[in-house]
Amino acid sequence: MSNSSISPEQWGMKRIDLMVELLHKMSRVLDYDFDKTHIKNSFYSPMAHGAIEDEQVALRRGLLEVLEGKRQIPISFSNIESSEK
């Protein structure tokens, strides 16, 4: 599914709704009596997972900017000894 009209924040909420829907359908097939509200309120998603995803997006965007010539990689040298004596 791809929709560029949805902002990353909206997609984050949509992703949760889709996961709740999936878990609800799985619970019904497995004969568990969980409603969607219970699943959504009990849903465990570590903050680190969201942070990792955000970092990966930033890295991909940064790399694309470098490859497209829109951004440069800063380089500096230190601790260089002169070979002249």
Side-chain angles (χ1 to χ4, degrees):
M1 179 176 172
S2 177
N3 187 342
S4 61
S5 66
I6 298 176
S7 72
E9 294 81 19
Q10 289 173 321
W11 176 240
M13 292 187 314
K14 178 70 173 173
R15 185 174 53 127
I16 291 170
D17 290 341
L18 292 172
M19 178 62 80
V20 168
E21 185 68 31
L22 174 65
L23 292 173
H24 182 254
K25 287 182 180 183
M26 289 171 60
S27 73
R28 296 192 71 188
V29 168
L30 297 170
D31 275 340
Y32 287 99
D33 188 25
F34 297 128
D35 62 19
K36 290 181 184 180
T37 303
H38 174 78
I39 293 170
K40 190 168 188 173
N41 292 338
S42 315
F43 185 154
Y44 174 71
S45 178
M47 290 178 59
H49 290 184
I52 289 169
E53 189 170 327
D54 292 343
E55 289 170 354
Q56 289 175 344
V57 168
L59 286 167
R60 286 193 303 265
R61 285 185 181 153
L63 178 59
L64 283 173
E65 288 177 1
V66 169
L67 295 174
E68 292 170 347
K70 296 177 182 175
R71 178 182 288 207
Q72 298 176 351
I73 299 175
I75 299 175
S76 64
F77 298 96
S78 61
N79 297 330
I80 299 174
E81 294 183 22
S82 174
S83 60
E84 296 177 22
K85 291 189 177 188

